[in-house]
Amino acid sequence: MASSPEQILEELLSVPGVEAAVASDKDGLLLASAGIKEDDVGSDMDALGAVASGALSSAEMVGEEFKKGILERVVLEYDEGKVILQQVGKDVVLAIFASKEANLGIVRLTIKRKQQEIIDAFSF
């Protein structure tokens, strides 16, 4: 039986240091989230999906302008934690919120291993 979108995101929370996961479509429409409540963010959840999608889109344009190839992911490092933005498949933008101690290699590996599950779960 295929996992639901929420179940897939909940599984990502088992990675040490991962605190929350948000999935949106390329237009910024929030699809699902795990580990995060509206009280945790500075604005509403829909805005969070839109901002994540927009940031990934902007980073793609930078790479295109400088002919650096296809964007793999964006990693934002803050003094209180990290945010990993990655497109999964053609339609899903995944935002992973992690502690500053999180091992980015393990987070990346987990996303890679779960990529097909994520694509399947979000195929509507």
Side-chain angles (χ1 to χ4, degrees):
M1 184 172 116
S3 298
S4 73
E6 290 78 10
Q7 287 172 315
I8 294 293
L9 296 182
E10 287 287 340
E11 290 172 16
L12 293 172
L13 300 182
S14 68
V15 176
V18 173
E19 300 167 339
V22 174
S24 61
D25 69 10
K26 286 198 73 162
D27 293 325
L29 178 66
L30 182 70
L31 300 173
S33 66
I36 196 165
K37 301 175 209 65
E38 288 204 25
D39 294 344
D40 296 335
V41 296
S43 58
D44 64 47
M45 292 296 290
D46 291 322
L48 183 61
V51 169
S53 179
L56 193 67
S57 179
S58 294
E60 284 177 331
M61 287 189 272
V62 170
E64 288 171 8
E65 285 297 316
F66 290 97
K67 298 180 180 21
K68 294 299 180 186
I70 297 170
L71 178 68
E72 293 183 20
R73 78 194 47 79
V74 173
V75 178
L76 305 167
E77 295 189 49
Y78 301 94
D79 61 344
E80 295 296 323
K82 302 170 187 173
V83 179
I84 299 95
L85 304 173
Q86 184 168 335
Q87 186 169 329
V88 180
K90 293 187 303 186
D91 301 317
V92 178
V93 174
L94 186 63
I96 302 293
F97 300 86
S99 67
K100 60 184 175 182
E101 295 83 17
N103 182 318
L104 292 177
I106 293 173
V107 174
R108 290 173 54 191
L109 180 61
T110 302
I111 294 168
K112 184 176 181 177
R113 288 182 175 166
K114 293 205 159 282
Q115 185 165 339
Q116 190 59 52
E117 272 185 84
I118 294 167
I119 292 168
D120 293 344
F122 287 95
S123 295
F124 299 111

